Amino acid sequence: MVELAIIVPTFNERDNVGQLLASLENALAGIEYEVIFVDDDSPDGTASLVRELSLANPRVRGLQRIGRRGLSSACVEGMLSTAAPYIAVLDADLQHDEAILPEMFSKVRTERLDLVVATRNAQGGSMGDFSTLRLGLSHLGKRLSSSISHCSLTDPMSGFFVIDRRFLEEVVHSISGIGFKVLLDIVAFSNRPVRLGEVPYVFRPRLHGESKLDTLLFDKKIGGFVPTQFLIFGMVGLIGATAHLAVLVVLLEVNRRSFVAAQTVATIVAMTVNFFLNNIITYRDRRLRGSRLVFGLLSFYLACSIGALVNVRVAALILNNGAPLGM
Ligand code: GDD
Ligand code: MN
């Protein structure tokens, strides 16, 4: 019978899956475990690789979600898909040190705890090569979390923990499943003090693939009140509008072009700036490169063409009807 289920949320982790399974097998000798990958339809085909591996390895299962994204909800749905009495959550990218799993597992059982969290901040643990910005945000998160939860976590943003399924069932109906702070959600929604344990570890650098949570860091600053992507999208739009006005002014005032010509060029510049900024920042997890980038830009122009045409025509119309060109 399975004693421990390991939930691994994945998005574009194809290159890490095999190595992770090998490391788990090595670390978990003597423990009856299963590994459940929860994949959000990764374009790199992580889910099909997991299915292939599961044919040969009965410990492996895959849950493929279509039209969905989200680390928290992936973890929650993975945890609910198993009947194991203890459930671990672990990243796929080998940054979490799986070698401490047996210690976490034995701690949660022998000390009858609700939750054991792997922490980068306690003695013996380390954030690895995290940037100062992330370190600062992590400390801010720590202060915020102890103010809203019933226990003091030294690493509340950790995505590496083992939970007793009875405790999960106590809180699972209240947790939001939004964003990436699943651990914080779990402790914050408990109605009683959480029996908590911690095991220190050193956060390893990522070998393959890219981090998906970089752009989500705003969440920690603004407390998740506004969806991060919306905020970034708005900021990109603002930069695009500024670029538009700057080009317009230069073409009109310096180059003395006609208004329609200047407005047309300015609109194209703004569209291009918006496209590239959104590609690099807002949608960096789906970033286009090479020929797909060119194709993406052209289809973006096409999609914006009617709006751009209307923009130029309406602006010219307003100008012709007496609106002043300058201030
Ligand atoms: N299913 C699914 N859906 N998985 C996702 C998604 C998603 O939308 N976004 C990220 N993941 C998976 C990744 O594939 C990886 O296995 C894990 O979640 C963590 O994502 P990373 O992209 O590696 O983020 P990180 O290294 O910055 O995350 C670290 O910091 C976070 C917050 O401080 C880890 O320690 C996380 O566990 C921690 O929550
Ligand atoms: Mn990572």
Side-chain angles (χ1 to χ4, degrees):
M1 227 177 56
V2 174
E3 309 168 273
L4 176 67
I6 297 156
I7 312 304
V8 185
T10 56
F11 192 76
N12 285 345
E13 301 287 3
R14 196 185 165 89
D15 294 340
N16 290 315
V17 166
Q19 173 69 54
L20 178 70
L21 286 173
S23 309
L24 285 173
E25 193 173 313
N26 198 23
L28 297 176
I31 297 174
E32 277 304 325
Y33 69 96
E34 66 174 349
V35 187
I36 302 160
F37 290 92
V38 187
D39 184 69
D40 285 352
D41 209 17
S42 302
D44 76 347
T46 307
S48 39
L49 174 66
V50 166
R51 269 194 294 275
E52 217 172 280
L53 294 170
S54 74
L55 286 175
N57 186 346
R59 293 197 187 280
V60 177
R61 282 203 282 137
L63 186 65
Q64 181 177 5
R65 307 194 306 168
I66 293 174
R68 309 267 308 278
R69 270 306 296 275
L71 181 51
S72 266
S73 62
C75 295
V76 171
E77 284 164 40
M79 291 194 276
L80 290 174
S81 77
T82 173
Y86 296 93
I87 305 164
V89 175
L90 175 85
D91 286 354
D93 58 5
L94 310 163
Q95 293 198 274
H96 292 161
D97 184 1
E98 68 293 326
I100 63 165
L101 266 172
E103 187 185 344
M104 294 166 76
F105 181 47
S106 98
K107 196 173 174 72
V108 75
R109 281 194 307 180
T110 54
E111 296 178 25
R112 306 177 133 270
L113 301 173
D114 298 314
L115 187 66
V116 171
V117 180
T119 172
R120 297 167 278 201
N121 294 329
Q123 230 179 13
S126 151
M127 294 293 263
D129 57 359
F130 254 30
S131 68
T132 353
L133 172 73
R134 286 203 70 163
L135 279 178
L137 288 169
S138 178
H139 290 308
L140 182 70
K142 216 161 88 182
R143 282 215 301 279
L144 270 174
S145 86
S146 43
S147 64
I148 58 167
S149 60
H150 294 269
C151 59
S152 155
L153 289 163
T154 59
D155 188 1
M157 295 300 160
S158 178
F160 186 13
F161 54 88
V162 176
I163 187 169
D164 182 320
R165 79 162 309 114
R166 288 166 294 191
F167 179 57
L168 173 73
E169 283 173 14
E170 265 181 50
V171 293
V172 75
H173 290 98
S174 334
I175 59 187
S176 72
I178 300 170
F180 64 97
K181 308 164 290 291
V182 69
L183 176 66
L184 208 50
D185 267 9
I186 290 174
V187 293
F189 285 102
S190 167
N191 291 321
R192 58 171 177 81
V194 184
R195 295 189 299 271
L196 174 77
E198 293 192 322
V199 175
Y201 80 105
V202 178
F203 195 65
R204 294 192 288 226
R206 181 185 259 275
L207 285 181
H208 303 286
E210 311 177 327
S211 165
K212 285 94 210 168
L213 300 183
D214 283 357
T215 58
L216 295 175
L217 282 171
F218 282 98
D219 268 8
K220 290 178 195 167
K221 261 191 178 157
I222 58 172
F225 293 124
V226 185
T228 312
Q229 253 167 341
F230 177 74
L231 209 86
I232 300 176
F233 193 80
M235 282 184 339
V236 167
L238 210 66
I239 298 174
T242 314
H244 182 125
L245 290 177
V247 172
L248 190 65
V249 166
V250 169
L251 289 181
L252 284 177
E253 303 294 319
V254 182
N255 288 13
R256 301 270 158 209
R257 299 293 154 137
S258 77
F259 177 74
V260 171
Q263 177 74 347
T264 306
V265 174
T267 307
I268 293 172
V269 168
M271 287 195 302
T272 314
V273 167
N274 276 13
F275 175 82
F276 281 102
L277 286 181
N278 276 322
N279 190 49
I280 298 166
I281 305 170
T282 325
Y283 302 114
R284 66 168 282 160
D285 57 330
R286 278 160 277 179
R287 200 179 329 168
L288 302 176
R289 289 194 173 94
S291 60
R292 293 185 56 216
L293 180 72
V294 177
F295 184 72
L297 179 63
L298 293 181
S299 13
F300 185 69
Y301 283 150
L302 199 68
C304 295
S305 59
I306 296 177
L309 209 67
V310 172
N311 176 329
V312 175
R313 301 290 298 181
V314 170
L317 198 72
I318 294 173
L319 190 70
N320 289 340
N321 278 291
L325 197 53
M327 286 287 149

